[in-house]
Amino acid sequence: MGKTELLIVIILFNILFVMFIVAVMVYIINYRQRKKEYLNEIEMKNELHQRELLSTQLEIQQATMQQIGRELHDNIGQKLTLVSLYVQQMLYENKAPEASERIDQVSQIINQSLQDLRSLSKTLTDDNINQKEIITLIQEEVDNTNSFRKCKVSFEHNFSQLDLGFVHKNVLLRITQEFIQNSIKHSGCQNIFINLNTSEDILWELTICDDGKGFDTKKVTSNGIGLTNMKNRAEIIGAQFSLESKENEGTTLHIIFKKQS
């Protein structure tokens, strides 16, 4: 074999070797890309499954609460009403002043308990979340908190109307309730500020902050202020969650849900 033929063989071998290396690299790149797409698809399916599971759990929870409310009204409520009538009859028939006074006290306690029971039953059976807009639900929570005069809660928004499904409204309302309760219980705050806004790329953006004593977020445990619970609620619907707090500087909660493209 001459030098020319040997050179051609070497060149062909090098070309084939390079082509083989390129083919292997292309295969590896395609494999990694397909693997990444597969993992992303699995992750998206898991997220979708979690959201559907949350929606189902919330619907079951709502149905259960409504059933409990109906049972309270139809069963225990009727029995308390009957007891109240019996006590009133005893009060009417009893002639001893001392006994009558005690019977009257018992009657007042029963009537107050019956009133509280009816109020609780109405709360459980009244489908507030489905029937009302989130703006109204949050405002009612604010008004209810302010009525106790433990701290001042302010609510602002830039929505004329915000139509959300049950899951989103439930998540927003429960997170708001939990933040308010935790702030009052743990932070010693005087003010809580709630903002719910929208923009070009954001469907809704919830910001809640207080002027309490704050805390070290690195030291928060599962038994703390419910940070994990609020975070899980936000993440299940695909919202971005952040919470910042420093000692003596208050706490700020920020949740963003972007518009779906």
Side-chain angles (χ1 to χ4, degrees):
M1 180 180 295
K3 292 183 178 180
T4 302
E5 294 175 344
L6 180 61
L7 182 60
I8 293 174
V9 170
I10 293 174
I11 293 174
L12 289 175
F13 176 79
N14 288 335
I15 292 174
L16 291 174
F17 181 75
V18 171
M19 291 177 63
F20 174 77
I21 296 298
V22 170
V24 171
M25 292 179 64
V26 170
Y27 174 80
I28 293 175
I29 292 173
N30 288 336
Y31 172 78
R32 289 180 176 177
Q33 183 65 29
R34 289 196 299 269
K35 182 179 179 181
K36 183 178 180 181
E37 291 175 354
Y38 173 76
L39 293 176
N40 288 338
E41 183 180 355
I42 294 297
E43 185 178 356
M44 290 178 61
K45 288 182 178 180
N46 287 336
E47 290 180 359
L48 180 61
H49 175 71
Q50 288 181 342
R51 293 175 191 176
E52 291 176 348
L53 183 61
L54 173 65
S55 178
T56 302
Q57 289 175 339
L58 292 175
E59 290 174 359
I60 293 174
Q61 181 186 51
Q62 190 74 5
T64 302
M65 292 175 66
Q66 290 178 350
Q67 180 62 28
I68 292 173
R70 286 190 290 268
E71 287 295 324
L72 287 174
H73 179 270
D74 297 339
N75 189 0
I76 301 177
Q78 296 298 333
K79 291 179 179 178
L80 278 177
T81 301
L82 186 60
V83 171
S84 177
L85 292 174
Y86 282 148
V87 171
Q88 291 177 14
Q89 182 66 23
M90 291 172 59
L91 182 63
Y92 175 77
E93 294 177 351
N94 194 285
K95 304 301 181 181
E98 183 177 349
S100 296
E101 183 178 351
R102 293 183 178 180
I103 293 174
D104 184 52
Q105 291 175 349
V106 172
S107 177
Q108 291 179 14
I109 293 173
I110 293 175
N111 288 334
Q112 182 61 48
S113 299
L114 186 58
Q115 183 178 349
D116 293 342
L117 181 65
R118 286 171 177 167
S119 177
L120 176 60
S121 175
K122 185 179 185 300
T123 301
L124 292 174
T125 55
D126 188 13
D127 197 5
N128 274 335
I129 296 180
N130 275 329
Q131 294 177 356
K132 298 179 180 179
E133 294 184 6
I134 186 60
I135 301 300
T136 304
L137 293 169
I138 293 178
Q139 187 61 57
E140 288 178 349
E141 187 66 25
V142 169
D143 294 340
N144 183 55
T145 304
N146 285 333
S147 67
F148 292 106
R149 302 182 182 275
K150 292 185 177 181
C151 74
K152 182 180 179 181
V153 184
S154 303
F155 176 43
E156 295 181 355
H157 63 87
N158 66 353
F159 288 97
S160 57
Q161 184 176 1
L162 178 59
D163 294 324
L164 295 176
F166 173 81
V167 174
H168 277 242
K169 289 194 289 186
N170 187 280
V171 167
L172 277 169
L173 180 61
R174 300 311 177 202
I175 288 177
T176 300
Q177 289 174 331
E178 188 156 8
F179 188 96
I180 291 174
Q181 292 170 6
N182 289 328
S183 293
I184 294 174
K185 183 177 180 181
H186 298 285
S187 75
C189 63
Q190 298 296 319
N191 297 280
I192 298 175
F193 306 94
I194 304 173
N195 287 278
L196 184 62
N197 298 312
T198 186
S199 61
E200 183 177 353
D201 299 324
I202 296 174
L203 180 62
W204 54 260
E205 179 178 4
L206 176 68
T207 303
I208 314 178
C209 60
D210 65 36
D211 58 0
K213 61 185 180 181
F215 61 95
D216 186 350
T217 56
K218 295 180 181 179
K219 297 181 180 179
V220 174
T221 65
S222 58
N223 296 324
I225 64 165
L227 172 60
T228 301
N229 187 32
M230 291 189 289
K231 184 177 180 180
N232 288 341
R233 285 182 181 272
E235 289 181 346
I236 284 177
I237 63 171
Q240 299 176 3
F241 176 94
S242 66
L243 186 139
E244 299 178 357
S245 184
K246 293 182 179 180
E247 294 184 2
N248 302 317
E249 294 185 14
T251 302
T252 299
L253 171 71
H254 200 59
I255 303 176
I256 297 176
F257 187 85
K258 294 184 177 181
K259 294 179 180 178
Q260 304 299 309
S261 56

